[in-house]
Amino acid sequence: MNQIHQFELGASNLFLITGGRPVLVDTGTGGGPDEFRSICRSCGLEPSDIELIVISHEHADHFVNLEWMQKMTGGAPVVCHKAAGRFLEEGLAPQVVARNEIGEEAIKSPPALGRIPKVRPDITFEGKFDLRAYGIDGEIVSTPGHSEGSTAIILDSREAIVGDTVLRRHGGEEVVVSFLATDTVALRNSVALLLSRVDTFYCGHGGPYGRDEVKAALERDHSW
C-alpha cells in the first residue's frame, strides 16, 4: 500500500510516496543535504532510493532545491506539466496574481528563495501521467487555475498531493482555496474535480486537510 509522508522544509512542504518505487514530490525551500538525508531515512530510505521526482507546479518555492536534491538521488528523472517545464528549465519565477485580499497580503511578503536553479525536466505531460509503472496506485492530473502548470498526484486511496490549489491560509492555519490564481474559473473547476476524487488533501503549505474542510472552504469563498 502506498503511503504519503509530508515534511515542512522552509516555506513549503515536500513529500515522499513509499510503498512502490519511492517518489519525491516538490522540494521545500530550506534545509540542506543533511536534513534531506534525515528526511529520507525517517521513511526507511536513502536519497539514492528515490526513482522519480514530481514537481507539482512552476512556482519556485516548490522546486528551488531541485538541482542538488536530484544529484543526491543519483539523477532520478523529473516530471512536471508541460506548462511548468520552461520555468524549471530556465530557472524562472513566474508572476503571481492575487485573487483576493489574502493573496494581496501574501504577495507583500514572498519567501526568500535565493538562486533559482535551472533543471531540464526529463518528462513533461498534458492531461494525465500514470504512476503505476513506479508501483504507485495513482496518477498525476492537470489541475490548472493557481497556475497554468498546476497538477495533483491523486492516489486510488483517495489521498492527493494538490500543490497550492488549496492550502493553509496566509497568516493562519485554516484551509482556503488558493488566493493566487491565473484563471479563477479553472481554479474552481479544479477544486470541484479534486472534491469528487479526494478525501485527504496534502498541500504545498499546511495540511493535510479533510474533504469536508476543503468543501467548506470552497463554500465560504465569495471572492470569485
Side-chain angles (χ1 to χ4, degrees):
M1 181 175 178
N2 301 129
Q3 184 174 357
I4 297 173
H5 308 264
Q6 175 177 311
F7 302 90
E8 186 174 21
L9 192 61
S12 61
N13 294 329
L14 68 79
F15 306 88
L16 288 167
I17 306 177
T18 59
R21 299 163 64 186
V23 174
L24 169 66
V25 182
D26 290 346
T27 71
T29 66
D34 288 344
E35 189 165 0
F36 181 52
R37 187 176 292 108
S38 178
I39 285 170
C40 292
R41 288 178 175 173
S42 72
C43 298
L45 304 172
E46 294 293 335
S48 58
D49 294 327
I50 293 169
E51 296 198 25
L52 184 70
I53 302 172
V54 180
I55 300 300
S56 66
H57 64 291
E58 64 267 35
H59 290 169
D61 57 322
H62 295 264
F63 70 86
V64 72
N65 288 334
L66 178 57
E67 184 177 37
W68 62 263
M69 283 188 178
Q70 185 185 33
K71 289 179 180 176
M72 287 185 68
T73 69
V78 174
V79 59
C80 66
H81 191 276
K82 183 178 179 180
R86 73 179 185 91
F87 293 92
L88 275 65
E89 186 171 350
E90 300 177 26
L92 300 177
Q95 183 178 3
V96 294
V97 181
R99 185 176 66 81
N100 52 27
E101 292 181 359
I102 305 173
E104 291 170 359
E105 287 299 315
I107 287 175
K108 292 176 183 178
S109 54
L113 300 178
R115 184 183 73 88
I116 299 174
K118 298 180 180 181
V119 178
R120 182 190 297 268
D122 300 279
I123 305 165
T124 61
F125 69 95
E126 296 179 279
K128 298 180 180 181
F129 180 85
D130 196 340
L131 290 169
R132 296 179 198 282
Y134 294 87
I136 306 299
D137 294 327
E139 60 186 0
I140 313 173
V141 177
S142 177
T143 52
H146 172 65
S147 71
E148 185 180 356
S150 287
T151 61
I153 297 87
I154 303 178
L155 303 186
D156 292 354
S157 58
R158 297 185 62 86
E159 301 169 284
I161 301 170
V162 302
D164 290 352
T165 299
V166 300
L167 72 166
R168 177 178 60 207
R169 179 188 179 99
H170 183 71
E173 291 300 323
E174 69 178 348
V175 63
V176 294
V177 177
S178 184
F179 39 78
L180 304 174
T182 57
D183 185 330
T184 55
V185 173
L187 174 63
R188 190 178 180 93
N189 289 341
S190 290
V191 176
L193 168 68
L194 291 169
L195 284 169
S196 73
R197 297 187 56 182
V198 178
D199 292 329
T200 304
F201 291 70
Y202 291 85
C203 311
H205 307 270
Y209 300 104
R211 182 183 181 279
D212 288 347
E213 293 175 279
V214 173
K215 185 173 183 289
L218 181 63
E219 291 172 348
R220 68 172 174 263
D221 192 322
H222 301 296
S223 54
W224 299 102

